[in-house]
Amino acid sequence: MACHCNKKKMETLTNHFNPIPFSPKKVQSLDIASHQSLLSTLGLWDFFHLDFDQELRTDLIKELVVFYNSKRHPYCKSYVNGLSVTLSRGALAKALHLPLKSRSRRSLVAKGGGEDGLLMLSEEEGLFLEEIVWGWLVLQNDGSMVIEEVLKFTRCVRERMLEEVDWAGLIWFMVERELSKGQDLVNCYYGSHMQILLKMLRTLLARKHIC
């Protein structure tokens, strides 16, 4: 019965599934190189130099979505080719080279070189950080989601409370939001991110020769 149900979900998802590869080229207007010092201080430099696949393994991503089970927080489960995979904010952070923990005020001050490193940000740097939220982190727009989650996140950036900014948490929120839609997911904006996560799990997946 469960097998038949899952097959039905997969067929439903296949009928309308639209994975959209993330391409940094679409946000070339952001001058990443000139903000290397800032991004390195925040632990984000490596993330901005990831190689996001443009050719997605749609078959694997669909399985990840259909079999996703969020009831076991903080470690959620899914299945790919019959193999159980554990999904979490921590696993995604590791795969995307994002800082798992927010940088402490003390560490930011030390790297900022002033009495209050958080207030050393120029207006240009503050605007740059807001732009990367909308250009690199939030890849879709939904009214309720923006009001309750993203605006709270951008407020921390705007008010220079960088020690409270959870970069990995924001992307995990967006990725899990898509996973949780299951068979009803249409536009998949984070397929490239999911694929990087699957590649990190390649040691397990290689047993079935799927990565």
Side-chain angles (χ1 to χ4, degrees):
M1 187 67 174
C3 183
H4 174 74
C5 182
N6 289 330
K7 183 178 180 181
K8 194 71 175 177
K9 288 181 179 179
M10 185 64 73
E11 291 175 352
T12 300
L13 177 63
T14 299
N15 288 335
H16 53 235
F17 188 58
N18 179 36
I20 303 171
F22 172 64
S23 175
K25 293 181 180 179
K26 296 179 180 178
V27 284
Q28 283 183 332
S29 59
L30 291 178
D31 189 355
I32 302 298
S34 68
H35 292 90
Q36 179 176 356
S37 178
L38 173 63
L39 294 173
S40 296
T41 296
L42 296 174
L44 301 175
W45 182 250
D46 290 341
F47 168 72
F48 282 93
H49 289 80
L50 281 173
D51 184 15
F52 288 94
D53 290 334
Q54 299 305 293
E55 295 185 9
L56 301 181
R57 287 291 305 271
T58 303
D59 55 334
L60 304 184
I61 295 172
K62 285 193 298 184
E63 288 191 18
L64 199 67
V65 172
V66 165
F67 297 117
Y68 180 68
N69 183 349
S70 63
K71 295 180 179 179
R72 295 187 176 183
H73 284 291
Y75 301 107
C76 309
K77 293 283 188 181
S78 188
Y79 291 87
V80 177
N81 269 23
L83 296 176
S84 174
V85 293
T86 299
L87 307 176
S88 68
R89 168 181 165 275
L92 187 66
K94 184 176 181 180
L96 299 181
H97 299 288
L98 288 166
L100 185 55
K101 295 183 179 180
S102 301
R103 298 299 175 93
S104 69
R105 175 179 290 269
R106 179 176 296 179
S107 68
L108 289 173
V109 168
K111 293 186 177 183
E115 292 185 4
D116 191 341
L118 303 181
L119 299 179
M120 293 282 290
L121 285 180
S122 67
E123 181 178 355
E124 178 192 358
E125 288 174 324
L127 291 174
F128 170 75
L129 290 180
E130 289 186 49
E131 288 178 357
I132 66 174
V133 170
W134 296 106
W136 280 73
L137 307 184
V138 180
L139 307 180
Q140 57 177 299
N141 198 328
D142 176 305
S144 60
M145 174 274 297
V146 169
I147 291 175
E148 295 182 12
E149 299 294 336
V150 180
L151 292 185
K152 180 172 64 176
F153 185 92
T154 55
R155 185 176 65 250
C156 291
V157 173
R158 189 179 303 113
E159 296 178 1
R160 311 298 190 263
M161 297 186 296
L162 299 185
E163 78 277 17
E164 296 184 19
V165 175
D166 182 0
W167 305 97
L170 178 62
I171 293 191
W172 171 241
F173 168 79
M174 300 300 293
V175 169
E176 188 184 26
R177 188 168 177 272
E178 290 194 340
L179 290 170
S180 297
K181 290 183 179 180
Q183 64 182 2
D184 297 321
L185 179 62
V186 179
N187 294 323
C188 179
Y189 295 92
Y190 293 87
S192 296
H193 302 71
M194 296 179 195
Q195 186 151 302
I196 289 177
L197 177 58
L198 285 174
K199 282 187 174 182
M200 189 186 74
L201 303 172
R202 65 185 178 277
T203 300
L204 173 64
L205 299 177
R207 297 173 187 171
K208 293 293 182 178
H209 306 287
I210 62 175
C211 268

